[in-house]
Amino acid sequence: MGFFDGLWPGRAADFDSGSAASNAIELTKRHSQVSLTKQDAATGHLRINLAWRMRTSDFGGDSRESLLRHPLKALRPPEVVGHSQSMVNVDLDLGCLYELADGTKGVVQPLGGLLGEINAAPFVKLSGDDRFGSASGETIYVNLDHRDSIKRLLVFVYIYDQTPAFDRTHAIVTLYPSNGPRIEIGLDERHPQARSCAVVMIENVKGEMMVRREVRFVYGFQAELDRLYGWGLQWGRGYKTKAGR
C-alpha cells in the first residue's frame, strides 16, 4: 500500500489490501488470499514475475546518517549502484510445483531445463532465467483457460548457488492476471540461511481459483518444499541449463 494512501479520506482500496490507485493487491499475513474467479480473472494467461535487487547495505555507506539528513529518502526505494561481484554471486530462481486434476505432479524450474508447456499439460511455462536480477526478472505463465485441469500450483523461489542470499536482496513476486489488478507478494523478511521460499499457492477450490500467500522460508531446497506441502516427488541432483526467453 502506498505511503500516502491512509492520509486522505476517500482513497480506500477496493480490496482488502493494496492500493486502488496503483491497481495492485498486496498479499500480507493479515490479508493473505484473493479469488481470481471473483475478480473475473480466472481465464487467459496468468503471468508470474520474479524481480529482485540488492539491498543497499551491501554497498557500504551510513544509511542511518543519510536518512537523518534527508528524511524523504525513506519514501524512495533503495538504489542499486551497479553490478558488483557480490551481485553476480546472487542467483535467485523462480519455480513452480504443479499438481493436476488427473493426479500428475511435477516441477517447472530453470534447474534441469524443466521449462514446462503452456498449451499442453502442465499448462505452466517458464520463459526466462535471470542471473542478475534485472528489471524484467524471470517469468512463469499459467494457462488458466485449462484451470479445470489444474488442482494446485506452488510458486517458489530458490537460490541455485551456495551463497544464501535472501538476507541480501529485496525480492518481489508479482502476479498479472488477464483482468483486474496485479497481485504482489514481497519477500522482505530476514532469513540469512534460507535457501528456498514457498511464495504463493494457486489452488482450484471447487472450481474457484484462489491465490494464497505462503512466504515460508526453508533451509533446504525443492525436496524440503515437497515434504512441507506433501507433493511426493523423487528428487536428485540437478543442473541448470540456460532457459529460452
Side-chain angles (χ1 to χ4, degrees), residues 6-46:
L7 299 184
W8 288 285
R11 292 197 63 182
D14 293 334
F15 308 97
D16 286 339
S17 180
S19 168
S22 64
N23 198 34
I25 299 172
E26 180 185 0
L27 295 187
T28 64
K29 289 181 179 179
R30 183 177 178 183
H31 302 288
S32 61
Q33 66 180 11
V34 64
S35 168
L36 293 179
T37 302
K38 289 181 179 179
Q39 304 298 336
D40 195 25
T43 59
H45 288 178
L46 172 67

Side-chain angles (χ1 to χ4, degrees), residues 176-194:
Y176 297 89
S178 59
N179 180 59
R182 67 184 183 272
I183 302 166
E184 299 177 346
I185 305 101
L187 307 182
D188 286 332
E189 298 177 19
R190 294 277 188 167
H191 289 267
Q193 300 303 316

Side-chain angles (χ1 to χ4, degrees), residues 169-214:
T169 61
H170 287 287
I172 184 168
V173 171
T174 307
L175 282 65
Y176 297 89
S178 59
N179 180 59
R182 67 184 183 272
I183 302 166
E184 299 177 346
I185 305 101
L187 307 182
D188 286 332
E189 298 177 19
R190 294 277 188 167
H191 289 267
Q193 300 303 316
R195 304 291 181 140
S196 307
C197 179
V199 180
V200 62
M201 180 76 78
I202 303 167
E203 195 167 13
N204 190 330
V205 181
K206 297 181 179 179
E208 183 175 4
M209 297 304 296
M210 299 295 300
V211 174
R212 184 177 70 248
R213 177 188 184 272
E214 297 291 331

Side-chain angles (χ1 to χ4, degrees), residues 97-212:
L97 283 165
Y98 62 83
E99 181 178 359
L100 303 183
D102 64 4
T104 303
K105 299 178 182 179
V107 64
V108 171
Q109 62 181 19
L111 194 62
L114 303 172
L115 306 184
E117 295 288 344
I118 192 65
N119 293 316
F123 310 107
V124 179
K125 185 172 178 61
L126 176 69
S127 71
D129 175 16
D130 179 9
R131 306 288 176 92
F132 303 103
S134 70
S136 61
E138 298 184 13
T139 302
I140 284 177
Y141 291 91
V142 179
N143 189 344
L144 291 180
D145 289 337
H146 293 271
R147 60 191 177 279
D148 291 341
S149 298
I150 298 171
K151 181 177 180 180
R152 59 175 180 160
L153 307 173
L154 179 66
V155 178
F156 62 91
V157 175
Y158 66 99
I159 301 168
Y160 173 67
D161 65 20
Q162 298 303 307
T163 304
F166 285 112
D167 199 42
R168 297 163 54 198
T169 61
H170 287 287
I172 184 168
V173 171
T174 307
L175 282 65
Y176 297 89
S178 59
N179 180 59
R182 67 184 183 272
I183 302 166
E184 299 177 346
I185 305 101
L187 307 182
D188 286 332
E189 298 177 19
R190 294 277 188 167
H191 289 267
Q193 300 303 316
R195 304 291 181 140
S196 307
C197 179
V199 180
V200 62
M201 180 76 78
I202 303 167
E203 195 167 13
N204 190 330
V205 181
K206 297 181 179 179
E208 183 175 4
M209 297 304 296
M210 299 295 300
V211 174
R212 184 177 70 248

Side-chain angles (χ1 to χ4, degrees), residues 66-84:
S66 176
L67 289 177
L68 288 175
R69 290 183 178 181
H70 307 284
L72 289 179
K73 284 187 176 181
L75 305 181
R76 297 200 301 265
E79 297 179 358
V80 172
V81 178
H83 288 298
S84 69

